[in-house]
Amino acid sequence: MNLLIKSATIIDPNSPFNQKIADVLIEKGIITQIAPEIETDTEIFEAEGKYISPGFFDLNCNIGEPGLETKEDLYTGTEAAAAGGFTGIALMPNTVPPVHSKSEIEYILNRSKKNLVDVYPLGAISHKREGKDLAEMYDMYLSGAKAFSDGNRPVQDAGLMERALLYAQGFDALIFSYPEDTAIAGKAKVNEGEVSTLLGMKGIPSLAEELMIARDLYLAEYTVSRIHFSTVSTTRSVELIREAKRRGLEVTCDVAAHHLVLTDEALLGFDSQYKVKPPLRTRDDVDALIAGLKDGTIDAIVSQHTPHEVEFKNVELEVAEFGSIGLQTALPLALKAGLDISLIVEKMAVNPRKILNVDIPIIAVGKEANFVLFDADEVWEYNKKNNRSRSYNSPFIGHNLIGKVLLTCNNNQSFK
């Protein structure tokens, strides 16, 4: 891949050219020159007023393969990721069979070789994600798993979580906790509050999330282990993690992009496309999440990309599945939340890789060209034609969004 990007604003905290406007020359997938003005006969991409940053990295992506390819396979999933500016994705083990042994890890890694998007499968914490016995974590780690999670199933057994934290510590792996106490959440579908009352539906209280975060923080402190919380969504959750960081615990967390702009009021029309888990919360919660991003309590923004076939979403709110696709809308939602460009790059490109302990791309001479070029002001319509996912379960399809990915490059490949 040979390309000259003209007059782009570089946003990369690790680059000597951070915040500078420059031309960037890529030859055979390597950045060979960065300067105020470069002359070459290479293909030119005019980027005045646009931003170039390290490619985004998603810590919470669901792709159906293996077993659920009618929702999403690795080809369509990585294409949607590239369209959203992601050059790396961590895959949740929510497949059939689950990713709970080295066979599934190796299958996904082999299937995703030579892709523009780097794929990192997360291994399951428990066998079959049933929350009873530890999975073959060390075997999966040797095969390439960087971290472990039971995906959208919380580990209810405190003893099992304690053993997982201790065991992972032995080979410096990371445990992801999906914080929900199912005994409290029950079978409810929406956030507990005024909206759930208006809808006439039983609600999921914030306590269900916060109680599990409190428990796992105690376990992490007791075992002197690292822990990462996936998709926190409430004010008290942010406060608990902020206090834990203040006390020196090795804790990180992320937030789903849709939780930064949507509240549970979106469900007043009974539109099942807004049904996600954790559920959409209140305006106070949204404000607390944004504040947590700005003060460093929340480390990363994720897409929580969760594809479903039409028959699982275009049904009554009560019976619809949780989740929406989000790879192509993560950047526009982060911009809509009012976050500045540098903070978005930190939370979507740099910190996710730090958390997973993988190499962080740098916009610098001699480095591999792993970047996203985007326009923070361009208005575009997200529709079924430009949606790259196999599924269409997004509340934003048919809407105009602000902030468009123009070019994604990695592994000597590009996606426009």
Side-chain angles (χ1 to χ4, degrees), residues 47-67:
E48 185 176 358
K50 316 299 190 295
Y51 298 93
I52 184 171
S53 80
F56 301 145
F57 191 103
D58 190 15
L59 283 174
N60 191 319
C61 184
N62 296 276
I63 288 179
E65 191 171 355

Side-chain angles (χ1 to χ4, degrees), residues 20-192:
K20 295 180 180 178
I21 298 173
D23 294 356
V24 180
L25 179 62
I26 299 103
E27 295 177 301
K28 296 181 180 179
I30 303 294
I31 298 173
T32 57
Q33 193 175 350
I34 300 176
E37 188 72 34
I38 300 173
E39 296 296 334
T40 179
D41 57 2
T42 303
E43 178 188 355
I44 293 175
F45 196 111
E46 294 292 346
E48 185 176 358
K50 316 299 190 295
Y51 298 93
I52 184 171
S53 80
F56 301 145
F57 191 103
D58 190 15
L59 283 174
N60 191 319
C61 184
N62 296 276
I63 288 179
E65 191 171 355
L68 299 171
E69 289 86 351
T70 53
K71 297 179 185 292
E72 191 89 275
D73 61 28
L74 283 164
Y75 175 78
T76 59
T78 53
E79 192 166 78
F86 292 92
T87 58
I89 52 175
L91 297 187
M92 288 292 167
N94 310 339
T95 53
V96 179
V99 183
H100 64 164
S101 74
K102 66 179 183 179
S103 298
E104 293 85 28
I105 296 289
E106 291 170 358
Y107 170 83
I108 292 171
L109 290 175
N110 285 327
R111 283 275 291 146
S112 58
K113 281 181 179 177
K114 299 180 180 179
N115 199 302
L116 183 154
V117 179
D118 299 321
V119 175
Y120 296 87
L122 302 183
I125 294 171
S126 65
H127 181 63
K128 294 184 180 180
R129 297 198 302 133
E130 291 178 345
K132 297 177 181 178
D133 302 299
L134 285 181
E136 300 169 5
M137 291 169 60
Y138 187 59
D139 276 356
M140 288 189 281
Y141 172 78
L142 292 177
S143 293
K146 295 285 188 181
F148 299 91
S149 166
D150 268 357
N152 58 0
R153 293 183 184 175
V155 177
Q156 289 298 124
D157 187 320
L160 183 68
M161 178 58 89
E162 180 200 13
R163 292 192 295 277
L165 288 166
L166 285 169
Y167 189 51
Q169 190 182 57
F171 45 95
D172 198 29
L174 179 62
I175 297 294
F176 281 36
S177 169
Y178 172 60
E180 181 188 72
D181 188 313
T182 56
I184 291 176
K187 296 181 180 179
K189 311 296 182 181
V190 298
N191 180 54
E192 181 182 82

Side-chain angles (χ1 to χ4, degrees), residues 325-363:
I325 56 173
L327 285 166
Q328 289 179 247
T329 55
L331 173 63
L333 295 184
L335 289 165
K336 188 174 181 180
L339 306 178
D340 67 47
I341 305 298
S342 294
L343 188 64
I344 290 172
V345 171
E346 177 191 340
K347 304 297 183 180
M348 291 182 63
V350 179
N351 284 359
R353 290 181 169 93
K354 283 184 180 178
I355 291 166
L356 209 60
N357 195 26
V358 300
D359 291 340
I360 300 170
I362 301 175
I363 311 296

Side-chain angles (χ1 to χ4, degrees), residues 184-349:
I184 291 176
K187 296 181 180 179
K189 311 296 182 181
V190 298
N191 180 54
E192 181 182 82
E194 293 181 10
V195 170
S196 65
T197 303
L198 290 170
L199 294 173
M201 300 175 71
K202 183 174 175 57
I204 302 173
S206 299
L207 179 66
E209 177 177 311
E210 295 151 7
L211 197 62
M212 190 63 82
I213 286 178
R215 185 202 77 173
D216 286 351
L217 285 172
Y218 275 118
L219 290 174
E221 183 174 24
Y222 177 75
T223 58
V224 196
S225 301
R226 293 189 298 147
I227 193 166
H228 177 82
F229 291 102
S230 297
T231 58
V232 298
S233 66
T234 78
T235 300
R236 182 62 179 144
S237 294
V238 176
E239 292 171 352
L240 286 166
I241 293 168
R242 182 181 289 121
E243 174 61 18
K245 286 189 171 188
R246 189 191 66 77
R247 291 191 292 114
L249 271 67
E250 286 192 85
V251 55
T252 53
C253 65
D254 63 57
V255 61
H258 48 259
H259 279 116
L260 301 175
V261 297
L262 297 173
T263 70
D264 54 358
E265 292 182 3
L267 287 158
L268 288 173
F270 289 91
D271 186 345
S272 62
Q273 301 296 352
Y274 292 98
K275 184 180 178 183
V276 293
K277 201 170 193 183
L280 298 177
R281 304 290 189 179
T282 67
R283 172 50 56 185
D284 287 344
D285 293 312
V286 170
D287 292 342
L289 293 170
I290 293 172
L293 283 166
K294 291 180 177 179
D295 70 15
T297 301
I298 300 176
D299 302 273
I301 298 171
V302 300
S303 76
Q304 203 186 16
H305 181 81
T306 308
H308 288 299
E309 302 92 335
V310 64
E311 59 266 29
F312 290 102
K313 287 300 284 188
N314 288 7
V315 291
E316 293 82 0
L317 180 63
E318 182 74 26
V319 298
E321 291 286 344
F322 291 102
S324 68
I325 56 173
L327 285 166
Q328 289 179 247
T329 55
L331 173 63
L333 295 184
L335 289 165
K336 188 174 181 180
L339 306 178
D340 67 47
I341 305 298
S342 294
L343 188 64
I344 290 172
V345 171
E346 177 191 340
K347 304 297 183 180
M348 291 182 63

